[in-house]
């Protein structure tokens, strides 16, 4: 049979002349984007930050969070220049499961600490935030009063990347905020485990917000998280929940006795309060300040910061080595092949790793 395409009447492959399409690029938007992404010089950022210019601070934080190598180069220089002006703050980690009342509490805690003057930055570490487009933690609408306070700076969690990467960016943001004159830093995180360890490694005081439950609240909380806490506060101690909250506090106090004494020499305290009704807020902060005085007097404050600086040096080395390894073009090419050989049982995991590392160490630096 004659093929239809050979028939002259066949039009299947002809293209009708269409109408001219408008450009897909909106020239106005392009202009806007270019403006938004402008990179200033290192000195512009540093001068702005040291003057306490919030816009410049925000822009610098955006650079810190950027994954682009050219942004990272500028960001690292800015951080380095800000470092001599940093460190002069108290850094408080605040953790609790979703619904524990972190945003409500941070709003009132923030106003309380600002009553005594100074400036407060609220940062967050939430490695899961990519899923919800960065809105879980640090979202301005969650801290209504604080977000409109002229002395506060609220920044959501850096969204992309591994927990280590997200945490490093938050730690670098602390440095920039301190250089901009923020003398109180809150770092918020959800109480789900690993992110607590990251927050603990960058704060002076770790505050754990808990709720009174049915009496078995201790079961759900990981021992490691309790051990990190310098203070445990039971929220929602209001209305007919007061007695339950007091009972929960007793349970936590008893449980804390079973842990080895913390290195700081401080005995972690357990208090009850109500973030929503503003009850017991002063007592919570009296505890935090008492701790700071205590550890400043016994030298643990500086010791902990030094240990943290050391920890972050090694973390940065690990992160950079890992990135350099996986971004190496030769490695990227070999990786799946070696993985398949291991899966097929033709190569042991150790030999595969050894061959990959060998290739990496003998590859030319970029
Ligand atoms: P987050 O998820 O930890 O940030 O918790 P939120 O601050 O969003 O609070 C979760 C819910 O608990 C909200 O409905 C709050 O109104 C409520 N809540 C927070 N603090 C208190 C409190 O002190 N007492 C009472 N009764 N409810 C509170």
């Amino acid at each position: 049979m004659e093929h239809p395409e050979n028939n002259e009447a066949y039009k299947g492959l002809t293209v009708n002349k269409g109408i001219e399409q408008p450009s897909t690029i909106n020239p106005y938007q392009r202009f806007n984007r270019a403006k938004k992404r402008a990179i200033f010089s290192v000195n512009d950022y540093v001068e702005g930050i040291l003057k306490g210019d919030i816009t410049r601070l925000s822009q610098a934080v955006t650079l810190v969070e950027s994954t682009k190598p050219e942004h990272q180069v500028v960001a690292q220089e800015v951080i380095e220049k800000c470092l001599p002006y940093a460190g002069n703050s108290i850094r408080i980690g605040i953790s609790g499961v979703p619904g524990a009342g972190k945003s409500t509490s941070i709003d009132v805690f923030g106003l309380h600490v600002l009553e005594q003057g100074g400036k407060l930055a609220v940062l967050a570490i939430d490695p899961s935030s990519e899923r919800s487009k960065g809105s879980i933690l640090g979202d301005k609408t969650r801290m209504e009063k604080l977000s409109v306070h002229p002395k506060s700076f609220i920044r959501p969690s850096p969204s992309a990347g591994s927990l280590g990467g997200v945490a490093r960016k938050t730690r670098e943001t602390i440095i920039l905020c301190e250089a901009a004159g923020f003398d109180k830093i809150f770092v918020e995180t959800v109480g789900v485990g690993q992110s607590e360890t990251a927050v603990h490694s960058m704060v002076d005081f770790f505050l754990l917000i808990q709720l009174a439950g049915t009496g078995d609240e201790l079961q759900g909380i990981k021992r490691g998280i309790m051990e990190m806490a310098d203070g445990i506060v039971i929220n929602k101690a209001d209305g007919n929940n007061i007695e339950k909250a007091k009972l929960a506090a007793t349970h936590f106090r008893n449980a804390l006795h079973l842990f080895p004494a913390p290195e700081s020499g401080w005995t972690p305290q357990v208090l009850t309060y109500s973030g929503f009704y503003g009850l017991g807020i002063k007592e919570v902060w009296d505890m935090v300040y008492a701790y700071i005085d205590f550890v400043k007097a016994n030298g643990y404050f500086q010791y902990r910061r030094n240990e943290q600086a050391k920890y972050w040096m090694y973390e940065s080395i690990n992160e950079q080595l890992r990135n350099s390894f996986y971004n190496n073009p030769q490695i990227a090419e070999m990786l799946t092949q070696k993985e398949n050989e291991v899966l097929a049982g033709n190569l042991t995991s150790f030999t595969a790793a050894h061959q990959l590392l060998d290739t990496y160490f003998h590859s030319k630096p970029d």
Side-chain angles (χ1 to χ4, degrees):
M1 206 180 84
E2 182 69 28
H3 195 279
E5 274 186 27
N6 295 331
N7 187 330
E8 280 220 349
Y10 183 75
K11 294 272 193 288
L13 291 180
T14 54
V15 176
N16 293 335
K17 195 174 181 312
I19 56 162
E20 205 172 309
Q21 294 297 308
S23 160
T24 51
I25 298 165
N26 173 344
Y28 175 72
Q29 248 184 5
R30 239 179 115 197
F31 168 72
N32 239 354
R33 277 169 66 140
K35 202 171 139 198
K36 229 168 137 184
R37 287 195 182 166
I39 302 192
F40 301 97
S41 74
V42 170
N43 280 343
D44 280 341
Y45 285 113
V46 176
E47 275 170 28
I49 290 170
L50 295 183
K51 270 195 293 195
D53 177 345
I54 298 293
T55 313
R56 210 38 58 85
L57 171 66
S58 295
Q59 289 161 335
V61 174
T62 305
L63 278 195
V64 166
E65 291 174 355
S66 168
T67 44
K68 288 196 172 164
E70 66 268 30
H71 289 177
Q72 276 304 312
V73 171
V74 179
Q76 290 308 321
E77 270 188 63
V78 173
I79 294 166
E80 212 168 290
K81 291 212 161 140
C82 283
L83 211 50
Y85 306 94
N88 199 12
S89 77
I90 56 170
R91 306 167 183 167
I92 317 288
I94 300 178
S95 177
V97 292
K102 289 181 297 302
S103 2
T104 315
S105 304
I106 289 175
D107 213 23
V108 285
F109 288 165
L111 293 183
H112 179 82
V113 302
L114 284 171
E115 267 170 28
Q116 289 133 33
K119 298 204 287 181
L120 168 70
V122 180
L123 313 175
I125 292 185
D126 177 16
S128 65
S129 67
E130 198 161 29
R131 263 183 281 145
S132 60
K133 297 281 172 250
S135 64
I136 304 186
L137 295 173
D139 191 336
K140 292 189 178 194
T141 56
R142 291 167 61 241
M143 295 149 201
E144 279 176 27
K145 297 193 199 82
L146 209 53
S147 61
V148 293
H149 196 290
K151 301 283 181 193
S152 82
F153 175 69
I154 301 178
R155 184 87 188 184
S157 173
S159 58
S162 63
L163 171 62
V166 169
R168 175 182 56 78
K169 290 169 188 174
T170 303
R171 189 170 185 272
E172 290 173 346
T173 302
I174 293 180
I175 294 170
L176 300 186
C177 290
E178 287 175 349
F182 288 87
D183 60 343
K184 314 253 175 2
I185 314 276
F186 290 176
V187 186
E188 179 192 8
T189 192
V190 275
V192 286
Q194 279 187 320
S195 47
E196 270 77 9
T197 317
V199 173
H200 187 253
S201 66
M202 62 179 81
V203 296
D204 305 312
F205 187 98
F206 189 76
L207 187 71
L208 186 59
I209 299 181
Q210 287 291 310
L211 292 177
T214 49
D216 59 3
E217 54 272 349
L218 284 174
Q219 286 177 11
I221 159 166
K222 290 203 187 74
R223 187 195 150 101
I225 297 181
M226 259 186 85
E227 253 180 303
M228 277 191 280
D230 301 299
I232 296 177
V233 285
I234 321 287
N235 189 20
K236 309 194 188 182
D238 45 55
N240 49 19
N241 205 25
I242 295 183
E243 286 311 312
K244 263 203 259 174
K246 281 189 185 157
L247 190 64
T250 309
H251 287 152
F252 276 108
R253 263 179 224 120
N254 291 341
L256 280 173
H257 281 309
L258 305 174
F259 293 155
E263 235 185 332
S264 58
W266 165 263
T267 310
Q269 314 260 303
V270 184
L271 299 173
T272 62
Y273 78 107
S274 165
F276 190 81
Y277 294 98
L279 307 169
I281 309 298
K282 182 177 180 300
E283 287 73 7
V284 171
W285 286 88
D286 285 351
M287 163 180 74
V288 175
Y289 293 135
Y291 170 88
I292 300 289
D293 287 346
F294 180 80
V295 291
K296 278 196 171 164
N298 74 4
Y300 183 76
F301 184 88
Q302 197 50 47
Y303 168 80
R304 179 157 161 177
R305 284 208 172 175
N306 292 347
E307 286 296 302
Q308 290 172 340
K310 213 163 71 179
Y311 169 86
W312 281 99
M313 183 185 91
Y314 287 108
E315 272 300 295
S316 303
I317 293 174
N318 293 344
E319 196 193 347
Q320 282 186 35
L321 279 179
R322 209 179 301 122
N323 287 347
S324 160
F325 177 79
Y326 287 108
N327 291 335
N328 182 301
Q330 266 176 280
I331 295 300
E333 216 169 84
M334 266 177 83
L335 212 52
T336 329
Q337 183 204 331
K338 291 292 161 199
E339 195 183 299
N340 288 338
E341 287 180 51
V342 170
L343 289 178
N346 297 334
L347 205 60
T348 67
S349 315
F350 180 80
T351 315
H354 191 77
Q355 288 176 357
L356 283 159
L357 286 168
D358 214 38
T359 308
Y360 173 71
F361 287 123
H362 290 101
S363 64
K364 284 197 194 82
D366 345 309

